[in-house]
Amino acid sequence: MSGPNVWTRSRERMRRFPDLLAQCSTEAAAYGKCVVATTTGKQELKKDLCAKEFEGLKACFVSAVSDTELCSEMSIIYTD
């Protein structure tokens, strides 16, 4: 059974998502354009068609999360 901390952490991650997405707007736009371009008409999105763009977006999110966590840790260090 999951404890209350699981939900608290999940809510916190979801609260940060818009800021993280804003930091990766260029990568998100590139991925979105690729998806739209490969799904014109009745075509379905196939795995790996936009892998390069997805990997760029994923790398940006990982970097943004790492930067955010680092800033959070630094503020704890300097305020304590």
Coordinates of all heavy atoms in Angstrom, one line a residue:
M1 N 0.8 -1.2 0.0 CA 0.0 0.0 0.0 C 0.9 1.2 0.0 O 1.9 1.3 0.7 CB -0.9 0.0 1.2 CG -2.0 0.9 1.2 SD -3.1 0.5 2.6 CE -4.5 1.4 2.1
S2 N 0.5 2.2 -0.8 CA 1.4 3.4 -0.9 C 1.0 4.4 0.2 O -0.2 4.6 0.6 CB 1.2 4.1 -2.3 OG -0.1 4.4 -2.5
G3 N 2.0 5.1 0.7 CA 1.8 6.1 1.8 C 1.5 7.5 1.2 O 1.5 7.7 0.0
P4 N 1.2 8.4 2.1 CA 0.8 9.7 1.7 C 2.0 10.5 1.0 O 1.7 11.4 0.2 CB 0.4 10.4 3.0 CG 1.0 9.6 4.1 CD 1.1 8.2 3.5
N5 N 3.2 10.1 1.3 CA 4.3 10.8 0.6 C 4.4 10.6 -0.9 O 4.8 11.4 -1.6 CB 5.7 10.3 1.2 CG 5.9 10.9 2.6 OD1 5.3 11.9 2.9 ND2 6.7 10.3 3.4
V6 N 3.9 9.4 -1.3 CA 3.8 9.2 -2.8 C 3.0 10.2 -3.5 O 3.4 10.8 -4.5 CB 3.3 7.7 -3.0 CG1 3.0 7.5 -4.5 CG2 4.2 6.7 -2.5
W7 N 1.8 10.5 -2.9 CA 0.9 11.5 -3.5 C 1.5 12.9 -3.4 O 1.4 13.7 -4.3 CB -0.5 11.4 -2.9 CG -1.1 10.1 -3.1 CD1 -1.4 9.1 -2.2 CD2 -1.4 9.5 -4.4 NE1 -1.9 8.0 -2.8 CE2 -1.9 8.2 -4.1 CE3 -1.4 10.0 -5.7 CZ2 -2.4 7.4 -5.2 CZ3 -1.8 9.1 -6.7 CH2 -2.3 7.8 -6.5
T8 N 2.2 13.2 -2.3 CA 2.8 14.5 -2.2 C 3.9 14.7 -3.2 O 3.9 15.8 -3.9 CB 3.4 14.7 -0.8 OG1 2.3 14.5 0.2 CG2 3.9 16.0 -0.6
R9 N 4.7 13.7 -3.4 CA 5.8 13.8 -4.4 C 5.2 13.9 -5.8 O 5.7 14.7 -6.6 CB 6.7 12.6 -4.3 CG 7.6 12.7 -3.1 CD 8.7 11.6 -3.1 NE 8.2 10.3 -3.5 CZ 8.0 9.3 -2.6 NH1 8.2 9.6 -1.3 NH2 7.6 8.1 -2.9
S10 N 4.2 13.2 -6.1 CA 3.5 13.2 -7.4 C 2.9 14.6 -7.7 O 3.1 15.1 -8.8 CB 2.4 12.2 -7.6 OG 3.0 10.9 -7.5
R11 N 2.2 15.1 -6.7 CA 1.7 16.5 -6.9 C 2.7 17.5 -7.1 O 2.6 18.4 -8.0 CB 0.8 16.8 -5.7 CG -0.6 16.4 -5.8 CD -1.5 17.0 -4.7 NE -2.1 15.9 -4.1 CZ -1.9 15.5 -2.8 NH1 -1.1 16.2 -2.1 NH2 -2.5 14.5 -2.3
E12 N 3.8 17.4 -6.4 CA 4.9 18.4 -6.6 C 5.5 18.3 -8.0 O 5.8 19.3 -8.6 CB 6.0 18.1 -5.5 CG 7.2 19.1 -5.6 CD 6.8 20.5 -5.5 OE1 5.8 20.9 -4.8 OE2 7.4 21.4 -6.2
R13 N 5.7 17.1 -8.5 CA 6.2 16.9 -9.8 C 5.3 17.5 -10.9 O 5.7 18.2 -11.8 CB 6.5 15.4 -10.1 CG 7.8 14.9 -9.6 CD 8.1 13.6 -10.2 NE 8.4 12.7 -9.0 CZ 7.8 11.7 -8.6 NH1 6.8 11.2 -9.2 NH2 8.2 11.0 -7.6
M14 N 4.0 17.3 -10.7 CA 3.0 17.8 -11.6 C 2.9 19.3 -11.6 O 2.7 20.0 -12.6 CB 1.6 17.2 -11.4 CG 1.6 15.7 -11.7 SD 2.1 15.3 -13.4 CE 0.8 16.1 -14.3
R15 N 3.1 19.9 -10.4 CA 3.1 21.3 -10.2 C 4.3 22.0 -11.0 O 4.2 23.1 -11.5 CB 3.3 21.7 -8.7 CG 2.3 22.7 -8.3 CD 2.4 23.0 -6.8 NE 1.4 22.1 -6.2 CZ 1.6 21.4 -5.1 NH1 2.8 21.4 -4.5 NH2 0.7 20.6 -4.6
R16 N 5.4 21.3 -11.1 CA 6.6 21.8 -11.7 C 6.6 21.6 -13.2 O 7.4 22.2 -13.9 CB 7.9 21.1 -11.2 CG 8.2 21.5 -9.8 CD 9.5 20.9 -9.3 NE 10.0 19.7 -10.0 CZ 10.8 18.8 -9.6 NH1 11.2 18.9 -8.3 NH2 11.2 17.8 -10.3
F17 N 5.7 20.7 -13.7 CA 5.7 20.4 -15.1 C 5.6 21.6 -16.1 O 6.4 21.7 -17.0 CB 4.6 19.4 -15.4 CG 4.7 18.9 -16.9 CD1 5.7 18.0 -17.3 CD2 3.8 19.3 -17.8 CE1 5.7 17.5 -18.6 CE2 3.8 18.9 -19.1 CZ 4.8 18.0 -19.5
P18 N 4.7 22.6 -15.9 CA 4.6 23.7 -16.8 C 5.9 24.5 -16.9 O 6.3 24.9 -18.0 CB 3.5 24.6 -16.2 CG 2.6 23.6 -15.4 CD 3.6 22.6 -14.9
D19 N 6.6 24.7 -15.8 CA 7.9 25.4 -15.8 C 8.9 24.6 -16.6 O 9.7 25.2 -17.3 CB 8.4 25.6 -14.4 CG 7.5 26.6 -13.6 OD1 6.9 27.5 -14.3 OD2 7.4 26.5 -12.4
L20 N 8.9 23.3 -16.4 CA 9.9 22.5 -17.1 C 9.6 22.5 -18.6 O 10.5 22.6 -19.4 CB 9.9 21.0 -16.6 CG 10.3 20.9 -15.1 CD1 10.1 19.4 -14.7 CD2 11.7 21.3 -14.9
L21 N 8.3 22.4 -18.9 CA 7.9 22.4 -20.3 C 8.3 23.8 -21.0 O 8.8 23.8 -22.1 CB 6.4 22.2 -20.5 CG 5.9 22.1 -21.9 CD1 6.6 20.9 -22.7 CD2 4.4 21.9 -21.9
A22 N 8.2 24.8 -20.2 CA 8.5 26.2 -20.8 C 10.0 26.2 -21.0 O 10.5 26.9 -22.0 CB 8.1 27.3 -19.8
Q23 N 10.8 25.6 -20.2 CA 12.3 25.6 -20.4 C 12.7 24.8 -21.7 O 13.8 25.0 -22.2 CB 13.0 25.0 -19.2 CG 12.9 25.8 -18.0 CD 13.6 25.2 -16.8 OE1 14.6 24.6 -16.9 NE2 13.0 25.3 -15.6
C24 N 11.8 23.9 -22.1 CA 12.1 23.0 -23.2 C 11.2 23.3 -24.4 O 10.8 22.4 -25.2 CB 12.0 21.5 -22.8 SG 13.1 21.1 -21.5
S25 N 10.7 24.5 -24.6 CA 9.7 24.9 -25.6 C 10.3 24.6 -27.0 O 9.5 24.1 -27.9 CB 9.3 26.3 -25.4 OG 10.4 27.2 -25.6
T26 N 11.5 24.8 -27.3 CA 12.1 24.6 -28.6 C 12.0 23.1 -28.9 O 11.6 22.7 -30.0 CB 13.5 25.1 -28.7 OG1 13.5 26.5 -28.4 CG2 14.1 24.9 -30.1
E27 N 12.5 22.3 -28.0 CA 12.5 20.8 -28.2 C 11.1 20.3 -28.3 O 10.8 19.4 -29.1 CB 13.3 20.1 -27.1 CG 14.7 20.4 -27.1 CD 15.1 21.8 -26.4 OE1 14.2 22.5 -26.0 OE2 16.3 22.0 -26.3
A28 N 10.2 20.8 -27.5 CA 8.8 20.4 -27.5 C 8.1 20.7 -28.9 O 7.4 19.9 -29.4 CB 8.0 21.0 -26.4
A29 N 8.4 21.9 -29.4 CA 7.9 22.3 -30.7 C 8.4 21.4 -31.8 O 7.7 21.0 -32.7 CB 8.2 23.8 -30.9
A30 N 9.7 21.1 -31.7 CA 10.3 20.3 -32.8 C 9.7 18.9 -32.7 O 9.3 18.3 -33.8 CB 11.8 20.1 -32.5
Y31 N 9.5 18.3 -31.6 CA 8.8 17.0 -31.4 C 7.4 17.1 -31.9 O 6.9 16.2 -32.7 CB 8.9 16.5 -30.0 CG 8.2 15.2 -29.8 CD1 8.7 14.0 -30.4 CD2 7.1 15.0 -29.0 CE1 8.1 12.8 -30.2 CE2 6.5 13.8 -28.9 CZ 7.0 12.7 -29.5 OH 6.4 11.5 -29.3
G32 N 6.7 18.1 -31.6 CA 5.3 18.3 -32.0 C 5.2 18.4 -33.5 O 4.3 17.8 -34.1
K33 N 6.1 19.2 -34.1 CA 6.1 19.3 -35.6 C 6.3 18.0 -36.3 O 5.7 17.7 -37.3 CB 7.1 20.3 -36.0 CG 6.7 21.8 -35.7 CD 7.8 22.7 -36.1 CE 7.4 24.2 -35.7 NZ 8.4 25.1 -35.9
C34 N 7.2 17.2 -35.7 CA 7.5 15.9 -36.3 C 6.3 15.0 -36.2 O 6.0 14.3 -37.2 CB 8.7 15.3 -35.6 SG 9.2 13.6 -36.2
V35 N 5.7 15.0 -35.1 CA 4.5 14.1 -34.9 C 3.4 14.5 -35.9 O 2.8 13.7 -36.5 CB 3.9 14.2 -33.4 CG1 2.6 13.5 -33.3 CG2 4.9 13.5 -32.5
V36 N 3.1 15.8 -36.0 CA 2.1 16.3 -36.9 C 2.5 15.9 -38.4 O 1.7 15.5 -39.2 CB 1.9 17.8 -36.8 CG1 1.1 18.4 -38.0 CG2 1.3 18.2 -35.5
A37 N 3.8 16.1 -38.7 CA 4.2 15.8 -40.1 C 4.1 14.3 -40.4 O 3.9 14.0 -41.6 CB 5.6 16.3 -40.3
T38 N 4.3 13.5 -39.5 CA 4.3 12.0 -39.7 C 2.9 11.4 -39.6 O 2.7 10.2 -39.9 CB 5.3 11.3 -38.8 OG1 5.0 11.5 -37.5 CG2 6.7 11.7 -39.1
T39 N 1.9 12.2 -39.1 CA 0.6 11.6 -38.9 C -0.4 12.4 -39.8 O -1.6 12.5 -39.4 CB 0.2 11.7 -37.5 OG1 0.3 13.0 -37.0 CG2 1.0 10.8 -36.6
T40 N 0.0 12.9 -40.9 CA -1.0 13.6 -41.8 C -2.0 12.6 -42.4 O -1.7 11.4 -42.6 CB -0.3 14.3 -43.0 OG1 0.5 13.3 -43.7 CG2 0.6 15.4 -42.5
G41 N -3.2 13.0 -42.6 CA -4.3 12.1 -43.1 C -4.6 11.1 -42.0 O -4.9 11.4 -40.9
K42 N -4.7 9.9 -42.5 CA -5.1 8.8 -41.5 C -3.9 8.0 -41.1 O -4.1 6.9 -40.5 CB -6.1 7.9 -42.2 CG -7.4 8.6 -42.5 CD -8.4 7.6 -43.0 CE -9.8 8.3 -43.1 NZ -10.9 7.4 -43.2
Q43 N -2.7 8.5 -41.3 CA -1.5 7.7 -40.8 C -1.4 7.7 -39.3 O -1.8 8.7 -38.7 CB -0.2 8.4 -41.4 CG 0.0 8.2 -42.8 CD 1.3 8.8 -43.3 OE1 1.7 9.8 -42.7 NE2 1.9 8.3 -44.3
E44 N -1.0 6.6 -38.7 CA -0.8 6.6 -37.3 C 0.7 6.8 -37.0 O 1.5 6.5 -37.8 CB -1.2 5.2 -36.8 CG -2.7 4.9 -36.9 CD -3.1 3.6 -36.3 OE1 -2.3 3.0 -35.5 OE2 -4.1 3.1 -36.6
L45 N 0.9 7.3 -35.8 CA 2.3 7.6 -35.4 C 3.0 6.2 -35.2 O 2.4 5.4 -34.5 CB 2.3 8.4 -34.1 CG 3.7 8.8 -33.6 CD1 4.5 9.6 -34.6 CD2 3.6 9.5 -32.3
K46 N 4.1 6.0 -35.8 CA 4.8 4.7 -35.6 C 6.0 5.0 -34.7 O 6.6 6.0 -34.8 CB 5.3 4.2 -37.0 CG 4.2 4.0 -38.0 CD 3.8 2.5 -38.0 CE 2.9 2.2 -39.2 NZ 1.5 2.4 -39.0
K47 N 6.4 4.0 -34.0 CA 7.5 4.0 -33.1 C 8.8 4.4 -33.9 O 9.0 3.9 -35.0 CB 7.7 2.7 -32.4 CG 8.8 2.7 -31.4 CD 9.0 1.4 -30.7 CE 10.1 1.5 -29.7 NZ 10.4 0.3 -29.0
D48 N 9.6 5.3 -33.3 CA 10.9 5.7 -33.8 C 10.8 6.6 -35.0 O 11.9 7.0 -35.5 CB 11.8 4.5 -34.1 CG 12.1 3.7 -32.9 OD1 12.1 4.2 -31.8 OD2 12.4 2.5 -33.0
L49 N 9.7 7.1 -35.4 CA 9.6 8.0 -36.5 C 10.1 9.4 -36.1 O 10.7 10.1 -36.8 CB 8.2 8.2 -37.1 CG 7.7 7.0 -38.0 CD1 6.3 7.3 -38.5 CD2 8.7 6.9 -39.2
C50 N 9.9 9.7 -34.8 CA 10.3 11.0 -34.3 C 11.3 10.8 -33.1 O 11.4 11.6 -32.1 CB 9.1 11.8 -33.8 SG 8.0 12.2 -35.1
A51 N 12.1 9.7 -33.2 CA 13.0 9.3 -32.1 C 14.0 10.4 -31.8 O 14.3 10.7 -30.6 CB 13.7 8.0 -32.4
K52 N 14.6 11.0 -32.8 CA 15.6 12.0 -32.6 C 15.0 13.2 -31.9 O 15.6 13.7 -30.9 CB 16.2 12.5 -34.0 CG 17.3 13.5 -33.8 CD 17.8 13.9 -35.2 CE 16.9 15.1 -35.7 NZ 17.4 15.7 -36.9
E53 N 13.8 13.7 -32.3 CA 13.2 14.8 -31.6 C 12.8 14.5 -30.2 O 12.9 15.3 -29.3 CB 12.0 15.3 -32.4 CG 12.3 15.9 -33.8 CD 12.6 14.9 -34.9 OE1 12.5 13.6 -34.6 OE2 12.8 15.3 -36.0
F54 N 12.3 13.2 -30.0 CA 11.9 12.8 -28.7 C 13.1 12.7 -27.7 O 13.0 13.2 -26.6 CB 11.2 11.4 -28.7 CG 10.8 10.9 -27.3 CD1 9.7 11.4 -26.7 CD2 11.6 10.0 -26.7 CE1 9.3 10.9 -25.4 CE2 11.3 9.5 -25.4 CZ 10.1 10.0 -24.8
E55 N 14.2 12.2 -28.2 CA 15.4 12.1 -27.4 C 15.9 13.5 -27.0 O 16.3 13.8 -25.9 CB 16.5 11.4 -28.1 CG 16.2 9.9 -28.1 CD 16.1 9.2 -26.8 OE1 16.8 9.6 -25.8 OE2 15.2 8.4 -26.6
G56 N 15.7 14.5 -27.9 CA 16.1 15.9 -27.6 C 15.2 16.5 -26.5 O 15.7 17.1 -25.6
L57 N 13.9 16.2 -26.6 CA 13.0 16.7 -25.6 C 13.2 16.0 -24.3 O 13.3 16.6 -23.2 CB 11.5 16.4 -26.0 CG 10.4 16.8 -25.1 CD1 10.5 18.3 -24.8 CD2 9.1 16.5 -25.7
K58 N 13.5 14.7 -24.3 CA 13.8 14.0 -23.1 C 15.0 14.5 -22.4 O 15.1 14.7 -21.2 CB 13.9 12.5 -23.4 CG 14.2 11.6 -22.2 CD 14.4 10.2 -22.7 CE 15.0 9.3 -21.6 NZ 15.2 7.9 -22.1
A59 N 16.1 14.7 -23.2 CA 17.3 15.2 -22.6 C 17.1 16.6 -22.0 O 17.7 16.9 -20.9 CB 18.4 15.3 -23.7
C60 N 16.3 17.4 -22.6 CA 16.0 18.7 -22.1 C 15.3 18.6 -20.8 O 15.6 19.3 -19.8 CB 15.2 19.6 -23.1 SG 14.9 21.3 -22.6
F61 N 14.3 17.8 -20.7 CA 13.6 17.6 -19.4 C 14.5 17.1 -18.3 O 14.4 17.6 -17.2 CB 12.4 16.6 -19.6 CG 11.1 17.1 -20.1 CD1 10.4 16.5 -21.1 CD2 10.6 18.3 -19.6 CE1 9.2 17.0 -21.5 CE2 9.5 18.9 -20.1 CZ 8.7 18.2 -21.1
V62 N 15.3 16.1 -18.6 CA 16.3 15.6 -17.6 C 17.2 16.7 -17.1 O 17.4 16.9 -15.9 CB 17.1 14.4 -18.2 CG1 18.2 14.1 -17.3 CG2 16.2 13.2 -18.4
S63 N 17.7 17.5 -18.1 CA 18.5 18.7 -17.7 C 17.8 19.7 -16.9 O 18.3 20.2 -15.9 CB 19.1 19.3 -19.0 OG 19.8 20.4 -18.6
A64 N 16.5 20.0 -17.3 CA 15.7 21.0 -16.5 C 15.4 20.5 -15.1 O 15.5 21.3 -14.2 CB 14.4 21.3 -17.3
V65 N 15.1 19.2 -15.0 CA 14.8 18.7 -13.7 C 16.1 18.7 -12.8 O 16.0 19.1 -11.6 CB 14.3 17.2 -13.8 CG1 14.2 16.6 -12.4 CG2 12.9 17.3 -14.4
S66 N 17.2 18.3 -13.4 CA 18.4 18.4 -12.6 C 18.8 19.8 -12.2 O 19.2 20.0 -11.0 CB 19.6 17.8 -13.5 OG 19.3 16.5 -13.8
D67 N 18.6 20.8 -13.1 CA 18.9 22.1 -12.7 C 18.0 22.6 -11.6 O 18.4 23.3 -10.7 CB 18.8 23.0 -14.0 CG 19.9 22.8 -15.0 OD1 20.9 22.1 -14.6 OD2 19.7 23.3 -16.1
T68 N 16.7 22.2 -11.7 CA 15.7 22.6 -10.7 C 16.0 22.1 -9.4 O 16.0 22.7 -8.4 CB 14.3 22.2 -11.2 OG1 14.0 22.8 -12.4 CG2 13.2 22.6 -10.2
E69 N 16.4 20.8 -9.4 CA 16.7 20.1 -8.1 C 18.0 20.7 -7.5 O 18.1 20.9 -6.3 CB 16.8 18.6 -8.3 CG 15.5 17.9 -8.5 CD 15.6 16.5 -8.9 OE1 16.7 16.0 -9.0 OE2 14.6 15.8 -9.0
L70 N 18.9 21.0 -8.4 CA 20.2 21.6 -7.9 C 19.9 23.0 -7.3 O 20.4 23.3 -6.2 CB 21.2 21.8 -9.0 CG 22.5 22.4 -8.7 CD1 23.2 21.6 -7.6 CD2 23.4 22.6 -9.9
C71 N 19.1 23.8 -7.9 CA 18.7 25.1 -7.4 C 18.0 25.0 -6.1 O 18.2 25.7 -5.1 CB 17.8 25.9 -8.4 SG 18.7 26.4 -9.8
S72 N 17.1 24.0 -6.0 CA 16.3 23.8 -4.8 C 17.3 23.4 -3.6 O 17.2 23.9 -2.5 CB 15.3 22.7 -5.0 OG 14.6 22.4 -3.8
E73 N 18.2 22.5 -3.9 CA 19.2 22.1 -2.9 C 20.1 23.3 -2.5 O 20.4 23.4 -1.3 CB 20.1 20.9 -3.4 CG 19.4 19.6 -3.6 CD 20.2 18.6 -4.3 OE1 21.4 18.8 -4.5 OE2 19.6 17.5 -4.7
M74 N 20.5 24.1 -3.4 CA 21.3 25.2 -3.1 C 20.5 26.2 -2.2 O 21.1 26.8 -1.3 CB 21.8 26.0 -4.4 CG 22.7 25.1 -5.2 SD 24.2 24.6 -4.3 CE 25.1 26.1 -4.3
S75 N 19.2 26.4 -2.5 CA 18.5 27.4 -1.7 C 18.3 26.8 -0.2 O 18.3 27.6 0.7 CB 17.1 27.6 -2.3 OG 16.3 26.5 -2.2
I76 N 18.2 25.5 -0.1 CA 18.2 24.9 1.2 C 19.5 25.2 2.0 O 19.5 25.5 3.1 CB 17.8 23.4 1.2 CG1 16.4 23.2 0.7 CG2 18.1 22.7 2.5 CD1 16.1 21.8 0.3
I77 N 20.6 25.0 1.3 CA 21.9 25.1 1.9 C 22.1 26.6 2.3 O 22.5 26.9 3.4 CB 23.0 24.7 0.9 CG1 23.0 23.2 0.7 CG2 24.4 25.2 1.4 CD1 23.9 22.8 -0.5
Y78 N 21.7 27.5 1.5 CA 21.9 28.9 1.8 C 20.9 29.6 2.8 O 21.2 30.6 3.3 CB 22.0 29.8 0.5 CG 23.3 29.5 -0.2 CD1 23.3 28.9 -1.5 CD2 24.5 29.8 0.3 CE1 24.4 28.6 -2.2 CE2 25.7 29.5 -0.4 CZ 25.6 29.0 -1.6 OH 26.8 28.7 -2.3
T79 N 19.8 28.9 2.9 CA 18.8 29.5 3.9 C 18.8 28.8 5.2 O 18.3 29.4 6.2 CB 17.3 29.3 3.3 OG1 17.1 27.9 3.1 CG2 17.1 30.1 2.0
D80 N 19.5 27.7 5.3 CA 19.6 27.1 6.7 C 20.7 27.6 7.5 O 21.6 28.2 7.1 CB 19.9 25.6 6.5 CG 18.6 24.8 6.0 OD1 17.5 25.5 6.1 OD2 18.7 23.7 5.6

